[in-house]
Amino acid sequence: MKIGISTSTFFNTVASEGVFDLLRNMRADTSEVCLNTFSEYEKTFVDKLAQYRGAVDVSAVSPLSTQFEPQLFSPNIRVRADAELLFKKVCYACFALGAKYYTFRGQANLSGKKDFDYTRTAQRYAQLADIAAGYGVSLSLKNMSWSHAATPTYFKQLFEVCPRLFATFDLYHAESAGYDIREFLDVVPPQRVSLIEVADCLKDKWCLPGRGKYRFDKLFYDLERRKIIAPVLLAVRSDSYTDFIQVRDAFEYLVATYKGQ
């Protein structure tokens, strides 16, 4: 199992072009690269970004999903087609950066819907998976607390009818939706978990790992017990720290905790 840092941690603090040097300075060799806006999906930008990667292992690429991913499921053909143009650009970014997975958030659930047509949704995921496969990429659905995929039940039902889909599980979003991350791990086959993203919590405030009360030693034990070998990435909001030394220390805390198992 690899321990790394998602570049979402540096949103609004470091430009995308600078994240690889920062990761190397922290001795973090595994990451998820987050692209933040439409210009960063363009081939010219992505190709330039790929030149900075060096030996950093990019496990996944993540766009700012609300810009277009919900529209991939629109009943309007033209809306879907426009969204697919952006979807393909992110798939290319995965290819160019050497990432096997596209961190996908999909449909927003702003109305609090609880009943879903899993068969129809799976058909659309199959179409998107076909497009991604053309770039050598797999879709990895993330358990965003504001999305359809906010519950373990959704993952269980969808994964039964969508065998090519993978999962990215985020501790913060699991807790925000009222679940323990282990409830998600229990319903998805271990080989279909692509990433685990973690933060810590103290007095109902999210913070860097090691500054709260979360038992990461128990999480690492549970991951190993389930034979999940997906990378574990530090992923916090940029207002969780005041300097990059704090981020480095949190990363080193996770590494030491894992090695102490």
Side-chain angles (χ1 to χ4, degrees):
M1 180 186 297
K2 294 182 177 181
I3 312 296
I5 304 174
S6 169
T7 69
S8 63
T9 300
F10 310 119
F11 182 64
N12 289 336
T13 61
V14 180
S16 297
E17 300 92 320
V19 294
F20 289 119
D21 281 341
L22 184 56
L23 290 169
R24 280 187 281 270
N25 288 338
M26 295 181 180
R27 298 181 182 176
D29 61 2
T30 303
S31 186
E32 169 197 52
V33 170
C34 298
L35 303 176
N36 303 312
T37 189
F38 298 102
S39 62
E40 294 189 357
Y41 307 148
E42 296 299 324
K43 184 178 185 299
T44 51
F45 180 86
V46 168
D47 288 344
K48 180 180 178 181
L49 188 62
Q51 294 176 7
Y52 299 131
R53 180 172 72 92
V56 176
D57 178 18
V58 177
S59 297
V61 171
S62 172
L64 192 55
S65 65
T66 51
Q67 293 169 335
F68 68 92
E69 286 185 0
Q71 288 73 38
L72 289 166
F73 297 86
S74 171
N76 185 293
I77 295 176
R78 187 173 294 165
V79 171
R80 287 203 312 273
D82 285 349
E84 281 186 14
L85 292 176
L86 292 169
F87 176 78
K88 291 174 182 177
K89 290 179 180 181
V90 178
C91 288
Y92 173 77
C94 294
F95 168 77
L97 291 165
K100 291 176 58 179
Y101 301 104
Y102 174 141
T103 302
F104 192 81
R105 294 160 181 83
Q107 298 160 284
N109 189 19
L110 303 181
S111 65
K113 181 179 178 180
K114 295 182 179 180
D115 296 323
F116 305 101
D117 186 340
Y118 293 103
T119 300
R120 185 173 181 179
T121 301
Q123 290 172 348
R124 182 56 174 151
Y125 270 111
Q127 294 169 350
L128 295 173
D130 283 341
I131 295 172
Y135 296 84
V137 177
S138 296
L139 294 186
S140 185
L141 183 63
K142 188 172 179 178
N143 62 310
M144 305 301 288
S145 57
W146 47 259
S147 73
H148 283 199
T151 70
T153 298
Y154 186 87
F155 274 88
K156 184 177 187 300
Q157 297 291 334
L158 183 61
F159 273 50
E160 287 178 354
V161 292
C162 198
R164 288 188 289 166
L165 199 58
F166 289 79
T168 293
F169 290 134
D170 184 293
L171 193 157
Y172 166 81
H173 281 283
E175 298 272 349
S176 296
Y179 298 95
D180 188 296
I181 194 171
R182 294 165 182 81
E183 295 179 76
F184 289 91
L185 298 174
D186 285 341
V187 298
V188 171
Q191 68 274 15
R192 294 174 68 182
V193 178
S194 66
L195 285 178
I196 306 290
E197 298 188 338
V198 299
D200 208 338
C201 186
L202 182 64
K203 296 181 179 179
D204 296 325
K205 183 177 180 180
W206 289 91
C207 58
L208 289 165
R211 295 192 165 204
K213 295 184 176 181
Y214 194 81
R215 292 291 303 275
F216 287 100
D217 56 339
K218 290 186 176 181
L219 176 62
F220 287 129
Y221 171 80
D222 284 336
L223 292 175
E224 291 200 337
R225 181 173 61 84
R226 290 175 169 83
K227 302 187 185 305
I228 294 173
I229 60 173
V232 173
L233 304 184
L234 186 158
V236 300
R237 292 167 54 101
S238 57
D239 60 4
S240 299
Y241 58 87
T242 56
D243 59 58
F244 296 136
I245 293 176
Q246 294 175 351
V247 178
R248 181 203 64 191
D249 290 348
F251 165 67
E252 291 180 348
Y253 164 80
L254 288 174
V255 172
T257 303
Y258 174 61
K259 289 183 177 179
Q261 292 298 301

